[in-house]
Amino acid sequence: MAACTGLSPLCLKRYNTVRQIMVWIFQSLSKNTVGLDDYGYIKMINYLRTTKCSAESLLLASNGPLPWESDEYMKPALPDDPLLQIDVEELSEAAAVTLSPAASDEVPLLLQRARKAEDRAQRAEEALARAMDDLHKLKLLAQGLVLNADTSRGPSRTGAIAELREDEDEAYFSSYGHYSIHEEMLKDKVRTESYRDFMYRNMDVFKDKVVLDVGCGTGILSMFAAKAGARKVIAVDQSEIIYQAMDIVRSNKLEDTITFIKGRIEEIDLPVEKVDIIVSEWMGYFLLFESMLDSVLYARDRYLAEDGLVFPDRCNISLAAVGDTQKHSDRIAFWDNVYGFKMTCMKKAVIPEAVVEVLKPETVISEPAVIKTIDCGSVTVSELEFAVDFSLKITASTFCTAIVGYFDIFFDKSCGNKVMFSTAPDCTKTHWKQTVFLLESPIPVKAGEELPGQITVHKNRKDPRALLITLDVAGRKQTYSLQ
Ligand code: SAH
């Protein structure tokens, strides 16, 4: 356009008319609407050469039947006409790209606008992601503040369980007054036979020893210990179940060996100064739920002889990755449509509740990682709250939808015949099942890669028998409660 400035009005008019013709020719070439194929093009050039028609008449002609349709225009008007040397197909491709000078002027402008819009959209997306992240952090902060609001108890040497008032712990002990819970425990063969086998196969350890059974329930462990050769067994329980235990022991003629004391181990005085062995079945879901280990540690520190033994003597807590998209959608997507109603807000509410269930072993998609080892002979109450980094070696390329937690129990120390049992998903199921922490959104994972994470285990300050477990997997943090 700039090249036209300074032309006379006539020249300018001719320029515009020729420009219009060129546009028309280019459009015709690109759309091929007026028969401007190879032959049409040759005929048109020869027609123009022969008739020397004006640009205006050609434009008028372009509205009606083509004036060069006759085959007579196939004959070249000029020998070796340079215009007939042109590759029309190439020209038509070029025409498709530059449809009109007006349009081609607008393309860079449109591109520029599109780029700006794209930039704005990207910046907005980034700001939204930052806001969502801040919101999530605020939510975690608020959750922590609410759940840990009662800090009046503060840290102590013996821990919050020892300091619970009787009325505060009443519900816990009355739950053990129900017989069904003892039936369930006794029928858990993995659990009960492990205790039995450890005592019966290591009678040398028990011979003539004074044994304390912390939380005797129906008295089963006390009777195993008596049969294994213990000289004296002191059986303690705060729950009403102890009255049944007294009858049971009499029925089995073991009353001369087994002595009962009803009360909380933290509140009673034993008839002896020291004991040689402490046995207890204190394990809860995810091992530490119930915090009964605190009571065993209290008894250890107060009553265990210098070279005494605590059984079980060692425990592990392990984690593994789970890939079960079906289960994830059964629990999460389910809330999108419940009998035709939207209950989507429930998704946020169900995630923070850890689930105790038996996991299908084939849904485990990583090698297990031990996140905590407890030596019952030396661990302190404060070490039962901890934070630890872990890494899960993924064994299948899929989505990680949850993290599973479980524990292993060992009767090792001083035992010629070691006994252990595991609550892992690929082992015989126990009444502890497994503890499943569902992830809010599944994480894509590849076989062979390491999935990094951090776990924090804390007692709930409002209810020290309940746990708060925070998992940070691949940068996504979620606090779960187990109650
Ligand atoms: N030893 C039994 C019962 C185990 S269940 C068995 O193996 O079948 C745990 C028992 O410990 C419950 O009966 C509960 O009442 C008791 N218990 C828990 N904490 C206690 C405490 N601090 N003092 C006394 N008994 C306790």
Side-chain angles (χ1 to χ4, degrees):
M1 279 290 165
C4 255
T5 46
L7 287 181
S8 70
L10 184 68
C11 178
L12 198 63
K13 191 173 166 229
R14 279 184 74 95
Y15 168 82
N16 282 334
T17 315
V18 171
R19 184 176 166 272
Q20 256 178 301
I21 292 169
M22 291 312 289
V23 168
W24 173 73
I25 290 173
F26 273 98
Q27 282 177 340
S28 305
L29 280 169
S30 69
K31 293 182 195 159
N32 208 6
T33 50
V34 286
L36 260 186
D37 53 8
D38 284 6
Y39 292 122
Y41 175 74
I42 293 168
K43 286 198 244 176
M44 181 188 76
I45 296 299
N46 289 332
Y47 170 81
L48 293 173
R49 297 267 190 226
T50 314
T51 60
K52 295 190 175 53
C53 66
S54 68
E56 286 87 343
S57 67
L58 187 64
L59 261 185
L60 284 175
S62 71
N63 295 325
L66 295 172
W68 55 76
E69 241 156 24
S70 163
D71 277 347
E72 66 173 297
Y73 295 115
M74 281 303 288
K75 214 171 105 202
L78 289 180
D80 298 319
D81 189 342
L83 278 180
L84 295 185
Q85 323 276 319
I86 288 172
D87 183 340
V88 190
E89 272 185 15
E90 214 175 76
L91 205 64
S92 67
E93 269 169 28
V97 180
T98 51
L99 261 186
S100 81
S104 72
D105 284 348
E106 284 174 18
V107 167
L109 201 70
L110 286 173
L111 268 177
Q112 227 176 6
R113 278 197 201 152
R115 269 190 212 116
K116 273 191 186 158
E118 218 172 355
D119 279 356
R120 272 204 309 275
Q122 195 181 340
R123 278 199 303 276
E125 261 173 31
E126 284 166 5
L128 185 65
R130 279 196 302 275
M132 295 289 283
D133 196 42
D134 287 348
L135 202 64
H136 185 63
K137 282 182 192 147
L138 271 175
K139 197 189 87 185
L140 288 177
L141 191 75
Q143 216 172 34
L145 281 175
V146 171
L147 292 169
N148 293 315
D150 181 11
T151 52
S152 56
R153 259 189 259 278
S156 72
R157 202 179 61 81
T158 49
I161 296 298
E163 291 173 14
L164 279 174
R165 287 195 318 269
E166 201 178 319
D167 60 313
E168 285 179 307
D169 221 9
E170 206 184 292
Y172 174 71
F173 287 109
S174 59
S175 75
Y176 277 111
H178 296 288
Y179 305 127
S180 60
I181 192 168
H182 293 280
E183 185 177 335
E184 188 188 16
M185 288 189 288
L186 292 170
K187 284 181 175 168
D188 182 339
K189 284 189 166 194
V190 172
R191 176 200 91 112
T192 312
E193 289 183 354
S194 295
Y195 275 88
R196 181 198 65 191
D197 293 349
F198 135 70
M199 290 193 244
Y200 286 6
R201 288 180 193 167
N202 294 284
M203 290 203 178
D204 53 317
V205 175
F206 283 84
K207 189 156 173 20
D208 295 331
K209 295 286 165 40
V210 177
V211 176
L212 168 63
D213 178 357
V214 179
C216 64
T218 53
I220 185 76
L221 304 188
S222 294
M223 293 188 289
F224 287 151
K227 290 270 182 200
R231 174 165 55 88
K232 185 179 183 66
V233 180
I234 303 162
V236 178
D237 206 301
Q238 158 75 346
S239 162
E240 305 285 301
I241 190 72
I242 198 166
Y243 300 120
Q244 299 292 339
M246 291 169 183
D247 280 354
I248 292 167
V249 161
R250 266 196 299 274
S251 323
N252 289 281
K253 304 195 168 39
L254 289 170
E255 67 271 26
D256 292 341
T257 313
I258 303 173
T259 307
F260 287 97
I261 303 177
K262 185 178 182 298
R264 260 163 50 100
I265 188 75
E266 294 87 349
E267 286 166 3
I268 56 160
D269 292 310
L270 294 192
V272 294
E273 209 167 295
K274 294 288 170 193
V275 299
D276 303 306
I277 296 174
I278 293 177
V279 291
S280 182
E281 197 281 79
W282 51 265
M283 294 83 79
Y285 299 132
F286 196 61
L287 188 69
L288 297 175
F289 182 67
E290 281 183 48
S291 297
M292 191 183 152
L293 179 55
D294 294 23
S295 301
V296 176
L297 300 187
Y298 172 91
R300 178 198 70 190
D301 295 345
R302 181 161 172 200
Y303 296 113
L304 194 65
E306 187 89 329
D307 52 356
L309 298 165
V310 180
F311 290 110
D313 59 290
R314 191 160 54 87
C315 330
N316 281 341
I317 305 178
S318 298
L319 296 180
V322 179
D324 191 344
T325 41
Q326 180 61 50
K327 181 60 95 25
H328 193 273
S329 93
D330 281 355
R331 296 222 51 227
I332 304 301
F334 165 78
W335 299 103
D336 284 330
N337 181 349
V338 182
Y339 300 97
F341 297 102
K342 259 199 215 169
M343 296 194 182
T344 316
C345 59
M346 289 292 288
K347 287 185 187 178
K348 289 259 180 244
V350 299
I351 291 279
E353 279 180 11
V355 185
V356 174
E357 64 183 356
V358 176
L359 199 89
K360 287 191 216 131
E362 61 272 23
T363 63
V364 174
I365 55 155
S366 80
E367 287 172 14
V370 174
I371 54 138
K372 181 83 175 167
T373 294
I374 294 173
D375 176 344
C376 301
S378 61
V379 74
T380 60
V381 169
S382 63
E383 285 167 351
L384 302 180
E385 295 186 80
F386 57 92
V388 66
D389 291 336
F390 62 85
S391 183
L392 300 173
K393 182 148 202 230
I394 299 294
T395 52
S397 298
T398 178
F399 283 91
C400 173
T401 54
I403 300 292
V404 62
Y406 60 87
F407 58 88
D408 308 318
I409 296 296
F410 300 86
F411 303 91
D412 265 8
K413 206 169 173 193
S414 308
C415 294
N417 297 306
K418 300 183 191 314
V419 173
M420 68 85 60
F421 70 90
S422 174
T423 63
D426 59 348
C427 294
T428 308
K429 71 171 190 205
T430 68
H431 77 288
W432 288 287
K433 303 173 187 175
Q434 285 89 37
T435 304
V436 180
F437 307 99
L438 213 59
L439 300 180
E440 187 170 357
S441 30
I443 302 170
V445 288
K446 285 209 177 71
E449 78 177 10
E450 295 280 341
L451 184 63
Q454 196 199 45
I455 183 166
T456 310
V457 177
H458 277 299
K459 291 183 175 118
N460 186 340
R461 300 264 177 269
K462 285 205 139 183
D463 172 9
R465 292 205 180 271
L467 290 181
L468 284 178
I469 296 152
T470 303
L471 273 172
D472 185 339
V473 183
R476 302 177 203 183
K477 212 170 186 174
Q478 175 69 53
T479 297
Y480 301 84
S481 63
L482 195 49
Q483 48 205 346

